[in-house]
Amino acid sequence: LNGNYAFTLTGRQVSATGAFQRVIQSNGVGTFDGKGNLTITFAGANASFALSGSPTATGTYTLSSNCMGTLNLTVAPGDVAVTNLAVYNSGKALTLSGSDGIFTYSATGTTLPTACALSSLSGSYALSSNGFMLSNGTSIVGVSDVSGLLQFDGNGNVSANLSVTSGTLTSTQMATGQYGTPSNCMTTASLKDNTGNIYSLTLVITN
């Protein structure tokens, strides 16, 4: 493991009765130094996460000859997530899972291109996502699934044709908006659909 990787992180806090209490969903860019150390800058983490905003976390990792290892990430002072790590595709991709005693985490990572520009996002991309509906930023009140197509023009404009399922209700939404120039292959996009809903996205460009 050496170089920059796009990360997608999910975390869940579950009560003793099995109910979801808090959730984390975030993208980020991580850098491995090839010597057992890494740094990850996250974006889009919700208010339930100790690393809210656009924080940077540091950690260490080990890797054996069978491409299995460990990754320990300090997500807040005194709060370390201990995870199991698996690397595949000749070191170009990874997956991990573990816990810090509060949240159960899972994440995936994929190598980044050597450089990214506004024109790196051009053409049609399939979208499939799922998440939780929150009250007051933390309390889970429902689930939502979104699938569809995103169309990027290579000049900062994006449109979407979406199928949105919230609970048992499904609707089709058209949305348009803009996306920014990538920094370290990570950028944001904001779209508004035909009913006035705003979609704020964090995007990481991968190979």
Side-chain angles (χ1 to χ4, degrees), residues 6 38 40 76 85 93 105 124 129 133 140 154 161 169 181 188 201 205:
L38 76 151
I40 306 177
L85 171 69
Y105 295 102
S124 297
S129 65
M133 294 182 289
I140 299 170
N161 187 343
L169 301 177
T181 300
T188 59
L201 308 178
I205 302 168

Side-chain angles (χ1 to χ4, degrees), residues 4-6 28-30 110-116 184-185 204-207:
N4 296 326
Y5 288 71
V29 172
T110 308
T111 54
L112 295 177
T114 55
C116 295
N184 199 22
C185 292
V204 184
I205 302 168
T206 61
N207 286 314

Side-chain angles (χ1 to χ4, degrees), residues 11-15 19-24 101-104 140:
R12 296 178 175 88
Q13 182 183 16
V14 181
S15 70
F20 285 115
Q21 293 182 307
R22 295 189 295 170
V23 295
I24 300 161
I102 302 173
F103 288 94
T104 298
I140 299 170

